[in-house]
Amino acid sequence: EEEARAMAVRHVAVDPEGCSSLDEGDAEYIKDVWNAWELQVVAKEGLETCRNARKTVAILDQQDVAVDVGTEMELVLDKGSDVVVTAVVQKGWVKPGCIALGEDLRHSLHLVHHMNSRWVRYCPKPAELPLDLLKLELEVRRIKTSGKNNKISEVDGVELAASLQEELQGIIVAVGQVVLLPYQGVMLAAQVMGTSNLSEEEKEAALFFHCYRGRVTTNTFISVSVPDNIDAGIILHNCTKAPETTPARGEVDVYTNDGEWFPVKKQILRPCISFTTHVRKAAGARISVHVDVPCLIFDKVLIFLELQAQNKEREYEVDIGALESLLTAAEVLNNCALRDFCLDRLGDFSSRMRLYCWEEVIQNNSKGGVWIAIDGMVLDVKRWLPEHPGGQRIIPEQAKNVDSTTFFEVYHASRESFLYLKHFYIGEVQEDDLCLIPRSTLPSEEFLVQLREYTDFRISNKPAVETFKSF
């Protein structure tokens, strides 16, 4: 087992694409078990061995990753953060099974000392390339320390930008990330406010542009400023700011009915008939338009429009629970393709619903399926298992071939879980078979009332009665 683990870890460490020549079953095993590191977070500033380490990097022990001492690895949390951590492999600096993170990384990652964390190798998505940043915008303030001199410091912006560039050289930073920098006897916190990997001309020509992280290089222009709305604790002289740019032509500022706004390329909006007039005007100047669509739904609309502009509408995926709101948005925007997509998906949902006898559920599960019964609903959750926060095994082991309503109540305190049920719903156990479903304990009446309020999409569990008209 140890030899297999070492082989798998070495494979992950040297293969940036995560590819494998193993067969599908073995590849899934490697992915599930070895393609991530379970590590305990320790405070880097509390370790004497890390005193001379570079401030912005993490420290790993060689025993955990089976690569040479001094190797730099770029890691991200398995789920939940845009921050990329550059970790240097050392021997004996930290205990095996631990990762030493500085205070700023712990803050940006929402991790604390002694907290367990799961990490994977970072591999940039095609949309993130080129990874090298041309511009980095930082907002700087002073960290006030209890019991020490906290008078306002005067800082030269050009010198500070140079210090930040030296400290961040080769490091990937993300919007929202905070970097701590000792500077002239005080501690400064620099927060990433913006990143750009394209020139203004390239952004103007690009159909899509969204840069939220990238690598700092010697060619990165670092813009330093202080926040306007709080006491930064410093006076910044010689602020470094990127040259002012003219507003992008060919863009439309779309304001949603809840006050949010999106700058959108006019080419993307062309399929929306309601935007026709605004798209024509945008050829000469930047304009604004208001739509009677909420922000969260318009964000989903934009994803569809971007795929539509690339003739990739078939790749669009959306939760079944959002389809009705998305259909309403399609009608407001007068986008026929989006409307047809929603109607097709809603039709698929309706067509797949039917009544099942209990024996059908058991037979499906015996062939590798994962159908579960909750309050008589039949849910096909097999595709959900890899994403299930509780792991892939708990549902098949506890919820198959029994009534799992009580399990659902016990393990899902948040009613947000109800919103997913429609996505997996395929029908009902017919009324006469409900007594055949094994039950260990009964759910609470309060839970059943709430569950049925959220599942108004259900069909009747009574077989249709055939009627004949007599003449």
Side-chain angles (χ1 to χ4, degrees):
E1 182 179 347
E2 290 179 357
E3 187 175 341
R5 177 182 185 277
M7 179 276 292
V9 172
R10 281 196 297 271
H11 161 74
V12 172
V14 300
D15 185 355
E17 297 297 330
C19 301
S20 174
S21 59
L22 302 175
D23 62 49
E24 185 176 353
D26 288 338
E28 284 300 312
Y29 177 76
I30 294 295
K31 176 182 177 182
D32 290 342
V33 181
W34 305 126
N35 204 34
W37 290 270
E38 298 281 355
L39 300 169
Q40 186 182 74
V41 175
V42 295
K44 184 179 166 188
E45 61 272 17
L47 299 175
E48 185 67 27
T49 51
C50 299
R51 181 177 296 275
N52 296 322
R54 189 175 173 187
K55 296 287 187 299
T56 48
V57 302
I59 304 296
L60 287 173
D61 189 77
Q62 185 186 30
Q63 184 174 324
D64 290 318
V65 292
V67 297
D68 293 338
V69 169
T71 301
E72 289 191 354
M73 302 171 62
E74 291 175 339
L75 307 176
V76 291
L77 285 175
D78 191 18
K79 290 183 180 179
S81 179
D82 293 332
V83 177
V84 179
V85 172
T86 299
V88 177
V89 178
Q90 300 290 356
K91 186 173 182 178
W93 286 30
V94 295
K95 292 181 179 180
C98 295
I99 181 170
L101 300 174
E103 183 180 0
D104 46 2
L105 282 174
R106 298 198 306 276
H107 171 83
S108 298
L109 292 162
H110 305 290
L111 299 174
V112 296
H113 184 54
H114 286 165
M115 186 176 182
N116 292 327
S117 56
R118 183 178 173 88
W119 302 83
V120 294
R121 286 292 291 262
Y122 166 67
C123 183
K125 302 172 184 176
E128 294 184 63
L129 302 176
L131 197 58
D132 291 350
L133 293 178
L134 295 181
K135 184 168 69 174
L136 172 63
E137 299 174 29
L138 297 170
E139 211 170 64
V140 182
R141 60 185 177 86
R142 178 178 172 177
I143 301 295
K144 295 182 179 180
T145 308
S146 176
K148 293 188 177 181
N149 181 12
N150 287 312
K151 69 177 183 180
I152 294 178
S153 302
E154 297 192 14
V155 176
D156 184 275
V158 175
E159 293 180 0
L160 177 58
S163 296
L164 285 164
Q165 189 142 30
E166 180 180 358
E167 182 60 41
L168 296 174
Q169 192 67 215
I171 300 294
I172 295 175
V173 294
V175 171
Q177 183 174 345
V178 173
V179 177
L180 295 182
L181 179 72
Y183 186 78
Q184 296 181 355
V186 298
M187 182 64 73
L188 300 181
Q191 184 170 20
V192 179
M193 306 302 294
T195 57
S196 178
N197 58 353
L198 298 180
S199 66
E200 296 304 318
E201 293 77 14
E202 290 171 326
K203 284 193 282 187
E204 181 75 20
L207 188 58
F208 317 111
F209 174 73
H210 177 55
C211 179
Y212 62 96
R213 65 184 173 196
R215 191 187 310 279
V216 179
T217 72
T218 54
N219 295 322
T220 303
F221 180 89
I222 296 184
S223 170
V224 178
S225 61
V226 293
D228 296 326
N229 56 345
I230 63 171
D231 178 12
I234 62 173
I235 297 175
L236 194 62
H237 301 290
N238 297 327
C239 294
T240 57
K241 291 188 177 181
E244 293 291 331
T245 58
T246 56
R249 299 174 62 188
E251 282 192 352
V252 176
D253 290 333
V254 180
Y255 288 83
T256 58
N257 61 10
D258 48 4
E260 297 296 328
W261 71 280
F262 298 78
V264 187
K265 296 282 187 179
K266 65 174 184 178
Q267 298 98 313
I268 296 177
L269 296 177
R270 288 189 190 281
C272 299
I273 305 302
S274 300
F275 284 130
T276 300
T277 302
H278 305 287
V279 166
R280 289 175 178 171
K281 289 180 179 179
R286 191 181 187 116
I287 63 167
S288 301
V289 60
H290 293 260
V291 294
D292 190 18
V293 177
C295 166
L296 292 179
I297 296 301
F298 189 73
D299 190 53
K300 298 179 189 299
V301 171
L302 275 182
I303 296 173
F304 180 86
L305 293 177
E306 290 181 358
L307 289 171
Q308 188 177 16
Q310 303 171 76
N311 296 316
K312 295 180 178 179
E313 300 101 310
R314 293 182 179 179
E315 298 179 12
Y316 186 58
E317 295 182 3
V318 66
D319 190 277
I320 191 76
L323 279 175
E324 292 179 0
S325 297
L326 203 56
L327 177 59
T328 301
E331 298 289 354
V332 170
L333 302 175
N334 206 348
N335 184 301
C336 296
L338 180 57
R339 182 186 60 205
D340 291 346
F341 169 85
C342 294
L343 290 173
D344 286 345
R345 286 291 303 274
L346 288 168
D348 289 344
F349 172 71
S350 300
S351 65
R352 75 170 184 256
M353 294 188 295
R354 66 178 180 87
L355 296 184
Y356 296 86
C357 64
W358 182 240
E359 184 60 31
E360 280 184 275
V361 175
I362 295 175
Q363 288 181 2
N364 174 78
N365 289 341
S366 69
K367 297 175 182 178
V370 186
W371 288 3
I372 63 173
I374 296 179
D375 190 36
M377 293 184 289
V378 181
L379 306 170
D380 183 358
V381 298
K382 185 172 183 178
R383 65 187 183 280
W384 168 242
L385 297 183
E387 306 299 327
H388 186 239
Q392 298 191 46
R393 297 181 179 179
I394 188 170
I395 293 178
E397 289 177 355
Q398 296 188 9
K400 284 171 63 172
N401 301 335
V402 297
D403 182 88
S404 53
T405 311
T406 302
F407 292 132
F408 192 80
E409 179 181 13
V410 170
Y411 291 125
H412 300 84
S414 169
R415 296 303 178 251
E416 182 182 354
S417 304
F418 290 165
L419 303 177
Y420 288 91
L421 295 178
K422 189 174 183 179
H423 197 59
F424 309 116
Y425 180 74
I426 59 174
E428 298 279 333
V429 177
Q430 61 188 20
E431 184 180 31
D432 292 343
D433 279 14
L434 291 176
C435 60
L436 302 177
I437 306 175
R439 293 176 174 84
S440 55
T441 57
L442 296 176
S444 67
E445 285 299 323
E446 179 187 6
F447 174 78
L448 288 177
V449 169
Q450 291 183 334
L451 176 65
R452 290 164 186 171
E453 287 177 353
Y454 276 87
T455 54
D456 56 359
F457 50 80
R458 299 172 64 174
I459 61 174
S460 171
N461 62 2
K462 295 178 174 61
V465 179
E466 294 186 1
T467 58
F468 299 91
K469 185 175 181 179
S470 59
F471 293 91

